[in-house]
Amino acid sequence: WRIFVATSGSGPRSVRAGIGGETIVQKGETVSLSYEGSGFTLTRQGEALEPGARDQWIKVKPIGDAKPVRGKVVRPGNVSVSAD
């Protein structure tokens, strides 16, 4: 299989924004991490290690943890991590 994606513009911002559009979470920004599972949601603070657009997956370092997690940008300042 081959997938072709049409892009507009050039440069790193276009690559970072990808399909999701405009970057709404900046690298270094403090974000709210929502861990969602079957019947529960936990929330904690984290630091974005990458910029991201809506629906894009980025690395986030939870405050107080050494190990980063991957989460999906939901809205400005909010990243969701699936706990399932």
Side-chain angles (χ1 to χ4, degrees):
W1 291 91
R2 288 188 184 183
I3 299 173
F4 296 94
V5 179
T7 60
S8 61
S10 63
R13 182 178 173 98
S14 295
V15 172
R16 264 198 316 265
I19 296 170
E22 181 183 347
T23 300
I24 59 174
V25 170
Q26 301 299 323
K27 180 179 179 179
E29 180 180 343
T30 299
V31 296
S32 179
L33 271 174
S34 299
Y35 293 85
E36 300 176 12
S38 181
F40 72 92
T41 301
L42 300 173
T43 304
R44 68 186 296 190
Q45 298 295 304
E47 177 187 350
L49 299 177
E50 303 173 313
R54 186 176 319 275
D55 295 328
Q56 186 175 15
W57 290 84
I58 63 170
K59 289 182 188 174
V60 179
K61 181 181 176 289
I63 302 296
D65 280 354
K67 184 178 177 183
V69 296
R70 294 201 51 82
K72 188 175 185 179
V73 177
V74 178
R75 59 184 164 273
N78 188 268
V79 176
S80 178
V81 178
S82 177
D84 288 339

